[in-house]
Amino acid sequence: IELKIAPVKNGKISGVVCTIRDLTALKIAERAKDAFVANVSHELKSPITSLRLYYDLLHRNPQRQDRYLARLERETERLALMVDDLLRLSKL
């Protein structure tokens, strides 16, 4: 809960005004947001790590360029779809 107390003054303190607010819904939403951010961060790291790997492999082993470029294309598309999903979700 959140508790706020303010004095009522008319020359001297003649009383107090007290407000009590239930923060349960706010805390639940905050936990859900934190879990969502952690999940999105994890989901975005996977394709980024894969992109870095295949970029490095492409430089180390150029004769497999076709294979690596195909994988880079798939991971780039996967990342773009995730970002599009996030943008749609943010509009909700």
Side-chain angles (χ1 to χ4, degrees), residues 36 83-92:
F36 176 76
V83 171
D84 289 345
D85 288 346
L86 284 171
L87 291 172
R88 276 194 299 278
L89 185 60
S90 73
K91 290 178 183 179
L92 296 176

Side-chain angles (χ1 to χ4, degrees), residues 30-45:
E30 191 174 302
R31 280 190 217 111
K33 177 196 63 102
D34 291 345
F36 176 76
V37 168
N39 190 31
V40 167
S41 297
H42 174 74
E43 290 298 320
L44 288 174
K45 283 182 182 181

Side-chain angles (χ1 to χ4, degrees), residues 11-64:
K12 62 178 186 165
I13 296 178
S14 61
V16 294
V17 173
C18 177
T19 59
I20 301 172
R21 187 172 137 198
D22 182 359
L23 299 176
T24 303
L26 182 63
K27 293 294 182 182
I28 290 170
E30 191 174 302
R31 280 190 217 111
K33 177 196 63 102
D34 291 345
F36 176 76
V37 168
N39 190 31
V40 167
S41 297
H42 174 74
E43 290 298 320
L44 288 174
K45 283 182 182 181
S46 296
I48 289 172
T49 300
S50 184
L51 288 170
R52 286 179 176 162
L53 169 70
Y54 283 98
Y55 178 78
D56 185 54
L57 288 172
L58 185 60
H59 287 284
R60 291 175 188 236
N61 201 352
Q63 61 271 22
R64 292 191 168 181

